């Protein structure tokens, strides 16, 4: 163990000379990995909703989100990107880059912040490695949704809250307010995280710096005023969610699945190992807090409380009213969990931190492999689109029997050519039919084919997103 400690110390001394450069390099390397996952044409249901919604103008986007269950900021950002890069060929790639940008900023800004506060090279790298690999950033860092922007806003809202508390400088209070309002306009559970941050900051000020409570009150009031226009919309959306929403009932098994969702991989016991490291880091941090009573250790505990209270609040509200909380809603708060992880383990010996970095990178290899499978290998989208590009003519129609997937089909096929099986006008067919037969759903009956003189040929198994189907070519018999 002495030799290992000596080796880690030597590596530490060399790395410490280039700590900032290492953080920047690591952030860019992770960004490159995320970009490598973007060169596909696969979207899931929520991503299809995004791509369809941003076809509207800004007023349409705001009205569309008001009728949905999310605030509008992310969609406005996505719309601006679509206007700046109005190419049909790369429109999905553009939107994937839009969601990678805040991940890069979080990795870079958070890593440099941790490195600067600890004055050590390993903690900044631990923040980057844990956020990139221990949690599900390889999946949610490229989803065309608001979660990566929520991650950016929540993380920096928390960091600026600490800076405002420590320095009392006006610029930190301003940034704290800006990131907090941005958080609230991005996702409602990001909004919950911002409320938790405000509450924890209030507690810290009440205990140690009461003179700054007035500044906290003024800032929070201004934040609420900035959010008030959408807060009224939120109340209406909450009422709609309370009466009918898709999220299933939350049980004990569901709560356990949150940990698997966040930390699990196909490698056995990944979740358990990660939880052990989080608990061990918490113990190390608490010991340091008791011994040194350092404000950074207090902040570390508060960083852990943000995702915990966000998740707990969602579960409690779901139990009292109706299910509104889903596992991925806590993702924006996981940046602060990784700050907690890095700050807590910064008190450990260098060789412990070095081993942790190796562990995170090992998990990262598996995370990246799973992401490659998910983005490129598990789906039949490319096969389906190649077939349609070769065969589908303007007078033809695409018929489907799984109505839930129409939103996704509209991303790939002109909506004028999409027809539900229940709505096919068999008597007035002008061209051929390409039928997406989803298993265990309604089939075109032989009697219908015979009645209208049609032939149906099996073109093989294809699919879009996670929905595999058999492609049938239906045409009039000679």
């Amino acid at each position: 163990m002495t030799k290992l400690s000596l080796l880690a110390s030597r590596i530490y001394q060399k790395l410490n000379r280039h700590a900032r450069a290492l953080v920047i390099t690591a952030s860019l390397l992770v960004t490159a990995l995320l970009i490598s996952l973007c060169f596909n044409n696969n979207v899931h249901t929520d991503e299809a909703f995004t791509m369809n919604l941003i076809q509207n103008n800004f007023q349409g986007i705001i009205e569309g989100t008001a009728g949905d269950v999310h605030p509008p900021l992310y969609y406005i950002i996505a719309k601006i990107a679509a206007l700046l890069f109005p190419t049909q060929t790369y429109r999905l790639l553009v939107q994937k880059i839009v969601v990678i940008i805040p991940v890069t900023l979080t990795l870079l800004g958070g890593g440099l912040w941790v490195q600067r506060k600890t004055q050590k090279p390993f903690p900044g790298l631990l923040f980057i490695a844990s956020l990139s690999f221990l949690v599900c950033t390889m999946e949610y860092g490229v989803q065309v949704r608001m979660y990566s922007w929520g991650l950016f806003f929540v993380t920096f809202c928390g960091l600026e809250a600490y800076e405002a508390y420590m320095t009392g400088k006006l610029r930190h209070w301003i940034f704290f307010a800006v990131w907090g309002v941005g958080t609230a306009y991005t996702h409602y559970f990001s909004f919950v995280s911002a409320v938790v941050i405000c509450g924890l900051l209030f507690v810290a000020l009440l205990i140690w710096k009461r003179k700054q409570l007035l500044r906290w009150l003024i800032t929070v009031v201004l934040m609420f005023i900035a959010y008030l226009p959408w807060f009224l919309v939120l109340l209406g959306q909450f009422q709609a969610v309370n009466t009918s929403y898709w999220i299933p009932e939350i049980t004990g098994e569901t709560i356990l699945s949150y940990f698997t969702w966040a930390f699990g991989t196909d490698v056995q016991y990944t979740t358990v190992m990660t939880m052990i490291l989080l608990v061990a880091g918490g113990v190390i941090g608490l010991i340091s807090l008791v011994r040194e009573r350092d404000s950074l250790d207090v902040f570390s505990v508060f960083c852990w409380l943000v995702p915990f209270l966000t998740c707990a609040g969602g579960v409690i509200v779901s139990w009292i009213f109706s299910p509104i909380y889903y596992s991925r809603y806590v993702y924006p708060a996981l940046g602060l969990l990784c700050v907690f992880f890095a700050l807590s383990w910064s008190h450990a010996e260098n060789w412990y931190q070095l081993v942790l970095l190796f562990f995170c990178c090992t998990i990262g290899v598996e995370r990246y492999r799973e992401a490659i499978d998910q983005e490129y290998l598990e789906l039949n989208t490319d096969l389906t689109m190649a077939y349609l590009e070769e065969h589908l003519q303007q007078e033809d129609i695409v018929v489907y029997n799984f109505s839930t997937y129409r939103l996704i089909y509209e991303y790939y096929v002109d909506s004028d050519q999409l027809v539900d099986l229940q709505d096919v006008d068999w008597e007035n067919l002008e061209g051929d039919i390409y039928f997406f037969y989803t298993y265990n759903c309604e089939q075109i009956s032989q009697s219908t084919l015979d009645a209208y003189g049609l032939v149906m040929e099996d073109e093989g198994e294809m699919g879009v997103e996670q929905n595999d189907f058999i492609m049938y070519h239906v045409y009039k018999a000679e």
Side-chain angles (χ1 to χ4, degrees):
M1 195 64 69
T2 304
K3 292 182 179 180
L4 184 59
S5 180
L6 181 61
L7 176 62
S9 296
R10 289 177 180 175
I11 295 174
Y12 169 86
Q13 292 171 3
K14 292 182 179 180
L15 294 181
N16 199 34
R17 301 170 191 168
H18 310 285
R20 288 178 59 85
L22 284 170
V23 168
I24 294 171
T25 301
S27 301
L28 295 178
L29 285 175
V30 173
T31 300
L33 292 178
L34 292 173
I35 291 175
S36 72
L37 301 173
C38 295
F39 300 96
N40 59 55
N41 196 30
N42 301 320
V43 298
H44 60 63
T45 305
D46 288 344
E47 290 179 311
F49 177 84
T50 298
M51 299 302 292
N52 287 337
L53 183 63
I54 63 175
Q55 302 304 311
N56 299 300
N57 56 26
F58 289 106
Q59 180 179 349
I61 289 173
I62 293 175
E63 291 174 351
T65 50
D68 188 46
V69 289
H70 292 297
L73 180 57
Y74 160 69
Y75 299 108
I76 292 174
I77 295 172
K79 177 64 176 180
I80 292 172
L83 293 175
L84 292 175
F85 302 96
T87 170
Q88 288 298 311
T89 305
Y90 301 109
R91 60 177 181 146
L92 182 59
L93 177 60
V94 168
Q95 294 304 323
K96 286 181 178 288
I97 298 298
V98 166
V99 298
I100 288 175
I101 288 172
V103 177
T104 302
L105 294 175
T106 305
L107 294 171
L108 185 61
L112 289 174
W113 188 91
V114 171
Q115 183 269 325
R116 186 173 69 251
K117 292 300 179 183
T118 60
Q119 292 297 304
K120 299 176 182 178
F122 290 155
L125 295 175
L126 271 178
F127 169 79
I128 293 171
S130 59
L131 182 55
S132 303
F133 305 133
L134 289 189
V135 301
C136 41
T137 294
M138 283 293 154
E139 178 179 356
Y140 287 89
V142 295
Q143 278 196 10
V144 186
R145 298 294 288 161
M146 69 289 297
Y147 301 109
S148 63
W149 281 98
L151 173 74
F152 168 79
F153 286 124
V154 171
T155 303
F156 283 95
C157 180
L159 298 183
E160 287 297 335
Y162 175 80
E163 295 293 347
Y165 168 83
M166 291 299 297
T167 67
K169 292 182 179 179
L170 181 60
R171 72 172 184 270
H172 292 302
W173 283 102
I174 292 174
F175 279 117
F176 162 65
V178 170
W179 301 141
V181 172
T183 294
Y185 272 104
T186 301
H187 191 275
Y188 289 137
F189 276 94
S190 298
F191 176 29
V192 173
S193 296
V195 171
V196 171
I197 292 170
C198 289
L200 293 174
L201 179 57
F202 172 79
V203 170
L205 293 173
L206 186 65
I207 296 174
W208 294 294
K209 294 189 177 183
R210 295 185 180 181
K211 291 182 179 180
Q212 291 199 59
L213 282 174
L214 179 59
R215 181 167 288 186
W216 176 90
L217 179 62
I218 293 172
T219 303
V220 170
V221 169
L222 291 176
M223 291 167 69
F224 180 75
I225 292 173
Y227 190 64
L228 184 59
W230 196 260
F231 184 77
L232 301 176
V233 177
L234 182 155
L235 296 178
Q237 291 177 330
F238 181 78
Q239 180 62 35
V241 168
N242 197 32
T243 55
S244 176
Y245 201 36
W246 60 269
I247 294 177
E249 181 182 357
I250 294 177
T251 63
E253 185 177 351
T254 305
I255 294 174
L256 289 176
S257 72
Y258 296 160
F259 299 99
T260 304
W261 163 83
F263 308 121
T265 69
D266 290 342
V267 177
Q268 198 172 14
Y269 305 124
T270 302
T271 302
V272 175
M273 289 187 290
T274 303
M275 292 300 297
I276 290 173
L277 291 177
L278 286 169
V279 172
V283 171
I284 293 171
L286 287 175
I287 292 173
S288 176
L289 176 60
V290 171
R291 288 178 177 176
E292 302 179 16
R293 300 184 181 276
D294 186 79
S295 60
L296 201 60
D297 292 326
V298 176
F299 176 67
S300 173
V301 174
F302 282 9
C303 285
W304 173 82
L305 283 172
V306 173
F308 173 78
L309 293 177
T310 300
C311 181
V315 169
I316 291 171
V317 171
S318 296
W319 277 339
I320 295 175
F321 298 100
S322 63
I324 62 171
Y325 180 76
Y326 199 63
S327 56
R328 62 175 176 261
Y329 294 168
V330 78
Y331 176 73
L334 294 184
L336 291 179
L337 181 68
C338 294
V339 172
F340 154 78
F341 182 78
L343 292 179
S344 296
W345 279 101
S346 69
H347 298 293
E349 292 186 25
N350 294 330
W351 72 269
Y352 278 116
Q353 298 178 50
L354 189 60
V355 170
L356 271 182
L357 278 173
F358 179 78
F359 172 79
C360 291
C361 292
T362 301
I363 296 298
V365 172
E366 177 60 22
R367 286 279 190 189
Y368 185 65
R369 185 199 65 77
E370 292 176 7
I372 288 288
D373 288 348
Q374 185 176 6
E375 297 294 337
Y376 293 110
L377 304 179
E378 293 179 353
L379 307 178
N380 290 318
T381 305
D382 290 343
L383 178 64
T384 304
M385 296 313 300
Y387 178 88
L388 291 178
E389 288 174 7
E390 180 179 354
H391 296 91
L392 185 65
Q393 303 298 317
Q394 187 173 0
E395 66 276 8
D396 299 334
I397 60 173
V398 173
V399 175
Y400 57 92
N401 63 350
F402 189 26
S403 301
T404 304
Y405 264 62
R406 179 181 175 91
L407 184 64
I408 295 178
Y409 296 152
E410 286 180 342
Y411 173 75
Y412 296 101
V413 180
D414 191 315
S415 59
D416 293 336
Q417 291 184 279
L418 275 174
V419 182
D420 192 297
L421 180 57
Q422 300 289 335
D423 301 325
V424 175
D425 184 358
W426 298 103
E427 296 182 354
N428 298 300
L429 293 175
E430 297 181 0
D432 294 354
I433 292 175
Y434 294 92
F435 177 37
F436 294 178
Y437 171 66
T438 299
Y439 303 98
N440 300 319
C441 293
E442 185 179 358
Q443 175 65 284
I444 300 175
S445 66
Q446 187 61 48
S447 60
T448 299
L449 297 174
D450 293 339
Y452 296 100
L454 300 173
V455 175
M456 184 166 68
E457 294 183 352
D458 185 339
E459 297 295 314
E461 186 175 283
M462 301 185 193
V464 171
E465 205 243 358
Q466 298 292 338
N467 176 41
D468 290 333
F469 49 72
I470 296 175
M471 175 75 78
Y472 286 105
H473 179 202
V474 183
Y475 57 91
K476 291 184 179 180
E478 294 295 337

